[in-house]
């Protein structure tokens, strides 16, 4: 069982995407109660950093604090995804 499914079961099904907004895929702080969207689920399956930013709802306050104060594992994953988005944007131009 993958981490996203385990997180969903642990939280009663509600997950939150805490990463930077990915246009056409996921917006930051979006809650998912009936599973992830197909686009986000596919991206989380191929990118461990994105998967690490899909958290149970009860971990949201800590995730927001880590991102706001720029420390911890969640912030590290956030910056990794953000850098990947920036690189992808440069390649498209």
């Amino acid at each position: 069982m993958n981490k996203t499914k385990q997180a969903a079961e642990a939280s009663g099904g509600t997950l939150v995407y805490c990463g930077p907004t990915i246009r056409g895929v996921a917006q930051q702080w979006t809650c998912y109660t009936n599973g992830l969207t197909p686009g986000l689920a596919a991206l989380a399956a191929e990118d461990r950093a994105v998967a690490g930013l899909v958290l149970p709802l009860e971990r949201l306050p800590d995730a927001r604090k880590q991102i706001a104060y720029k420390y911890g594992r969640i912030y590290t994953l956030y910056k990794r995804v953000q850098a990947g988005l920036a690189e992808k944007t440069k390649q498209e131009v």
Side-chain angles (χ1 to χ4, degrees):
M1 183 179 297
N2 68 25
K3 287 185 179 184
T4 352
K5 285 187 179 183
Q6 289 174 345
E9 290 175 3
S11 67
T14 303
L15 296 172
V16 180
Y17 171 68
C18 300
T21 297
I22 303 170
R23 191 178 305 197
V25 178
Q27 188 171 355
Q28 186 177 33
W29 313 125
T30 301
C31 294
Y32 300 94
T33 54
N34 295 318
L36 302 177
T37 61
L40 182 56
L43 188 58
E46 71 181 46
D47 188 344
R48 294 178 71 185
V50 172
L53 292 169
V54 177
L55 304 171
L57 185 60
E58 50 275 350
R59 293 199 46 210
L60 179 60
D62 183 52
R64 290 184 67 107
K65 187 187 310 182
Q66 286 186 36
I67 292 169
Y69 293 109
K70 300 178 180 180
Y71 76 93
R73 179 180 169 275
I74 300 298
Y75 179 68
T76 302
L77 294 173
Y78 182 91
K79 292 302 287 182
R80 188 173 298 157
V81 171
Q82 195 174 46
L85 291 173
E87 185 64 33
K88 184 176 179 183
T89 303
K90 284 182 185 177
Q91 291 175 356
E92 290 175 355
V93 173

